[in-house]
Amino acid sequence: MTMPDRSFPTDFVWGAATAAYQVEGAVHEDGRSESIWDRFAHTPGTTFHGDTGDVACDHYHRYREDVALLAELGLGAYRFSVAWPRVIPGGTGPVNEAGLDFYDRLVDELLAKGIAPFVTLYHWDLPQVLEDAGGWPLRATVDAFAEYAAVVAGRLGDRVRHFVTFNEPRVVATLGYEDGIFAPGRHDLDDGLAAAHHLLVAHGRAVQAIRAVAPDASVGIVLDIVPKQSASTEMLDLESAAAAQERHDRWFLDPLTGRGYPPDPPENSWRHLIRDGDLELITAPIDFLGVNYYTRDIVRSPMLPPLPAVEREKTGFGWEVYPEGLGEVLRFVASRTGDLPLYITENGAAYPDHPSDPTHDPERVRYLRRHLAALADARSTGIPVRGYFVWSLLDNFEWIFGYSQRFGIVHVDFATQERRVRDSGRFLEAVARSGRLPAEPSTAGD
Ligand code: GCO
């Protein structure tokens, strides 16, 4: 059976994404201060192999080459993040013009090549000085973020048309403050819940701050939404799956869309932090929502014995390949956002390199093809997705997994910093240039 070609409109945005700490390197240059990820990655035992973002892809110095790659691949947009510790090294107070200049140069380079910058203000690299003062569980961090947002939008907002306040606040709150797996490595449920609330309030304050200085820019936020599916029809599994969805996905999407927070147990101590006006701030209109989608979670109640393992297709990272989930996530999101424009702000896969040729990546091509098919099908049902960003432009520092997981459509040799476009890059280029996802004979599992 042959599937039909799927097409995308000519104004559909095709892009690639990165994040500051994962690609920039140059951590001591031009007045940048320490971030929580510098501190965390330099703490023994936190990352694979002790890897850090000290050098990463050296994007700070090689950004022209990287922008040229985006242009070569026919991509019309680049989603990158700004490192707060470069811009306001003290967390609040004096602006470091030299740090801000880097983003100025990057934006100009992009625009000169006809590539739209999508600027994320926070992709996890809080200035360490603010963590030392209390971090996201502390209300003062909200004020600091609003100040920082105004500075960045004030400098770039004459040219940047899309700002993202936060990338994946759920990961920041849960992995960073509640589970202690990511920076800053705190392990306290109430800290996680307090951080989550402050991240959302900070988002609302940043929306205001950006609109005040860059009234023509669109502003949004990026959420990671993972479909939570019950491992069985047993009541305990169904309840566990619903609870996971409340704590992870609805916890952010519901207040942002005016539904307030889902209920949680009264022994959780954080609701006293909600001040008058907070929920209105969080719900203030945005111009788009970004959705990061990689895989699903199959939820088994901890009260039930494990089920026998089921053979499922996985990426090299061990994440299940589940393209249908992209449509499921978009339907779930659209049930709350209606006709608000959506972007897939991250989607991609890590696979080990083929030893003979690391640019030959048929698994990643197949992953992208199947997810783009799911995206086209979701669009054809009327879900207003306006663009797609692959994660990632480059192999980069994959957080606690260091350089062991490669997500790039461009291969990076970290010894020489040589970049080489992978087959997946050429594949995305062909789709972006033609606006068509070519038909392919279906194979088992498609
Ligand atoms: C995320 C982050 C990225 C990751 C990517 C792969 O979604 O977790 O935004 O920084 O590198 O998702 O894990």
Side-chain angles (χ1 to χ4, degrees), residues 284-296:
I286 50 177
D287 305 302
F288 66 91
L289 183 83
V291 175
N292 293 350
Y293 176 75
Y294 291 92
T295 189
R296 69 171 160 181

Side-chain angles (χ1 to χ4, degrees), residues 352-363:
D353 281 338
H354 287 264
S356 57
D357 181 1
T359 66
H360 185 52
D361 59 344
E363 301 89 352

Side-chain angles (χ1 to χ4, degrees), residues 21-25 49 51-59 62 66 353 358 392-399 401-408 410-420 422:
Y21 189 67
Q22 295 182 273
V23 298
E24 285 179 358
H49 206 250
D51 289 347
T52 73
D54 285 3
V55 178
C57 308
D58 197 28
H59 183 63
R62 294 169 196 263
D66 295 335
D353 281 338
S392 177
L393 175 65
L394 304 167
D395 293 336
N396 60 46
F397 175 75
E398 179 54 28
W399 308 114
F401 302 95
Y403 298 95
S404 69
Q405 299 297 330
R406 293 176 174 269
F407 275 89
V410 174
H411 175 267
V412 177
D413 179 335
F414 290 106
T416 63
Q417 293 293 347
E418 189 194 351
R419 279 94 158 117
R420 282 190 293 161
R422 287 197 169 102

Side-chain angles (χ1 to χ4, degrees), residues 166-174 196 199-200 221-224 252:
F166 285 93
N167 178 70
E168 302 188 356
R170 187 213 45 111
V171 169
V172 177
T174 312
L199 287 159
L200 284 172
I221 185 169
V222 165
L223 302 181
D224 63 309
F252 296 89

Side-chain angles (χ1 to χ4, degrees), residues 414-434:
F414 290 106
T416 63
Q417 293 293 347
E418 189 194 351
R419 279 94 158 117
R420 282 190 293 161
V421 176
R422 287 197 169 102
D423 293 350
S424 54
R426 296 296 170 205
F427 168 76
L428 192 64
E429 176 187 2
V431 179
R433 289 195 190 279
S434 66

